[in-house]
Amino acid sequence: MTSILVRYHEIALKKGNRPYFVELLKRNLVSAVKDLGFKEIRSLPGRLLMLFGEQADEEKIGRRIERVFGVANFSFVERTSLDLEALKSGILEALDGRRFSSFRIDAKRGDKGFPLTSPEINREIGAAVKETTGARVDLKNAECTISIEILPRDAFFGFDKIAGPGGLPVGASGRAVSLISGGIDSPVASYRMMQRGCRLIFVHFHSAPYLDKSSQEKVRELVKLLTRHQFASRLYLVPFGEIQRQIVAAVMRPLRVVLYRRMMMRIAEAIAKKEKASALVTGESLAQVASQTLENLAVIEKAATLSILRPLVGMDKQEIIDQARRIGTFETSCIPDQDCCQLFVPRHPATKARLADVEEAESRLDLAGLIQLGVEKAEVEEFRFPD
């Protein structure tokens, strides 16, 4: 049977609320690997033990678990009884056939009733490994690290710790609506909010039939990638071209981009209330484009009553690109498309819009009717992982 020891960090700091966070993490871990021979998950002090069938694909399991938010790191482990000789013989047997010139022992004694301390376990096991393999001890740059966990009922050992993404389990921080385009920024913003425990509903504004459907196809692919972290997603595809046309007919050119953004916020908020979500998420980064100056951001956010979360607001473009590469969305985001930002955009948009001017311009529009148009015409699609 394949065994995996999952360790969490930030969750351990939650004290009285820890059981709630641990149960969410367990649920998400099961969702991630339920189709890969999963058998059972158990709670241990500060850790979780996952058990799989004999034919489990360890490589696939590892790729799935390393995307689950809340996981600090994990190891494929073997279990022995709480006996030093049994632990020693198990490790030496598992090392048979491995070649390395240096090693270190990293023992953690979670069961304080065990007769040896962690340093004493390190010395005893280390001496046996050195005598058997001839390898030298190197505490800083060892080729092989042998991790040992002494827990109340069993001892575990393994040879690698695989890093997880950290953060909090998805669902721990409530629900939010993420405005997602086909660009680089908004998928990264979505990822960062899921990492902080938010479960996201996605909203994409497109300008079909005035433009083609390429942005919708890109967003579907991006939502598929992001669903690997929250296992179920809902995407609203909102036709925005007619709304833009009506704004263009009624409003002077410089203010149009700000009015587009304010209308997006209103429609996204209407969807958020329908979905019982508590906040909106955007990929805005301060001063990155004309609509994202301090003045414009302040005017735009006044169109909504819900909180607007901007996880990228202080990041520069290269930082965002680097994270997009790490999380696997960059290549999809770079596929050419036609999104609503390219339709009816003035050459010189306002960078310091005044709320009074914007509200005066909006007085010429049927705001309630445009919001209703966006919500009612939206198409809804569901995504699942594993598919």
Side-chain angles (χ1 to χ4, degrees):
M1 182 172 288
T2 299
S3 302
I4 300 176
L5 210 55
V6 177
R7 304 169 190 88
Y8 46 84
H9 172 62
E10 189 171 349
I11 293 172
L13 307 177
K14 297 301 180 181
K15 295 185 179 179
N17 293 320
R18 188 185 306 166
Y20 166 72
F21 287 89
V22 170
E23 286 304 310
L24 273 177
L25 177 57
K26 288 168 69 174
R27 188 186 312 165
N28 290 346
L29 283 166
V30 171
S31 295
V33 298
K34 60 188 178 184
D35 61 329
L36 298 178
F38 170 76
K39 297 293 185 185
E40 185 182 355
I41 187 167
R42 300 176 188 171
S43 293
L44 301 174
R47 301 155 182 80
L48 298 171
L49 176 65
M50 302 183 74
L51 303 176
F52 295 80
E54 294 292 345
Q55 304 303 316
D57 186 328
E58 293 190 2
E59 186 177 347
K60 275 189 178 180
I61 292 168
R63 286 200 301 268
R64 298 275 186 92
I65 293 177
E66 67 185 2
R67 291 195 293 255
V68 177
F69 292 126
V71 174
N73 59 69
F74 62 97
S75 304
F76 290 89
V77 296
E78 296 189 35
R79 180 166 38 176
T80 73
S81 62
L82 283 172
D83 176 80
L84 185 64
E85 292 305 314
L87 181 61
K88 193 182 299 182
S89 63
I91 290 173
L92 294 178
E93 183 180 344
L95 285 174
D96 188 31
R98 284 180 175 246
R99 296 289 178 263
F100 51 90
S101 61
S102 62
F103 74 96
R104 71 185 184 102
I105 310 295
D106 179 19
K108 289 185 171 55
R109 188 181 64 150
D111 176 13
K112 302 307 178 185
F114 192 76
L116 299 180
T117 64
S118 296
E120 289 170 338
I121 298 168
N122 288 343
R123 284 195 295 270
E124 289 283 342
I125 302 295
V129 172
K130 184 176 181 179
E131 181 180 352
T132 302
T133 66
R136 61 184 174 82
V137 175
D138 186 337
L139 299 181
K140 291 186 177 180
N141 299 298
E143 286 184 31
C144 176
T145 297
I146 302 167
S147 299
I148 299 171
E149 306 261 0
I150 305 296
L151 298 174
R153 294 184 180 180
D154 302 284
F156 298 89
F157 67 88
F159 302 110
D160 296 291
K161 283 186 179 179
I162 303 168
L168 298 173
V170 169
S173 301
R175 294 158 67 87
V177 162
S178 180
L179 285 74
I180 185 166
S181 70
I184 296 170
D185 301 347
S186 55
V188 175
S190 299
Y191 177 94
R192 292 172 72 91
M193 293 312 304
M194 287 191 290
Q195 191 175 33
R196 298 312 306 154
C198 282
R199 178 168 295 283
L200 299 183
I201 299 97
F202 298 98
V203 175
H204 174 65
F205 294 89
H206 64 86
S207 291
Y210 297 98
L211 299 176
D212 65 27
K213 296 185 177 182
S214 55
S215 75
Q216 297 175 62
E217 295 304 320
K218 276 180 66 176
V219 164
R220 288 187 182 99
E221 291 304 311
L222 290 168
V223 171
K224 283 182 184 178
L225 292 171
L226 293 168
T227 302
R228 298 179 304 177
H229 302 284
Q230 66 175 16
F231 316 113
S233 298
R234 181 169 295 153
L235 168 64
Y236 284 79
L237 296 166
V238 180
F240 201 61
E242 176 57 25
I243 295 171
Q244 287 177 281
R245 191 192 65 78
Q246 292 193 36
I247 291 173
V248 167
V251 177
M252 293 174 57
R253 288 179 181 173
L255 292 178
R256 288 173 187 169
V257 173
V258 173
L259 266 66
Y260 296 161
R261 296 293 297 170
R262 280 169 62 90
M263 187 56 62
M264 289 178 182
M265 294 299 173
R266 292 186 176 101
I267 294 170
E269 182 172 76
I271 292 171
K273 290 178 179 177
K274 178 180 175 182
E275 292 283 352
K276 296 182 171 57
S278 303
L280 306 180
V281 178
T282 77
E284 291 164 320
S285 174
L286 184 61
Q288 186 167 273
V289 295
S291 65
Q292 296 175 19
T293 62
L294 276 177
E295 293 84 355
N296 284 0
L297 291 177
V299 169
I300 290 166
E301 70 181 13
K302 290 185 183 300
T305 59
L306 292 179
S307 297
I308 298 177
L309 308 177
R310 299 181 174 101
L312 310 186
V313 70
M315 297 176 69
D316 65 35
K317 194 65 178 183
Q318 191 57 53
E319 290 174 308
I320 298 169
I321 288 172
D322 290 344
Q323 183 154 25
R325 291 185 190 277
R326 289 195 297 272
I327 68 176
T329 59
F330 180 75
E331 289 186 2
T332 301
S333 293
C334 288
I335 297 171
D337 70 333
Q338 291 184 329
D339 66 14
C340 64
C341 295
Q342 300 174 20
L343 184 67
F344 305 138
V345 175
R347 292 182 64 183
H348 302 291
T351 57
K352 296 184 177 181
R354 296 194 315 148
L355 182 60
D357 295 337
V358 169
E359 289 179 339
E360 191 279 328
E362 286 180 336
S363 67
R364 304 170 213 154
L365 299 169
D366 176 11
L367 296 179
L370 293 178
I371 295 169
Q372 184 178 4
L373 176 65
V375 174
E376 289 184 351
K377 295 292 185 180
E379 298 177 25
V380 183
E381 298 183 6
E382 305 287 344
F383 297 79
R384 294 283 184 275
F385 183 85
D387 191 358

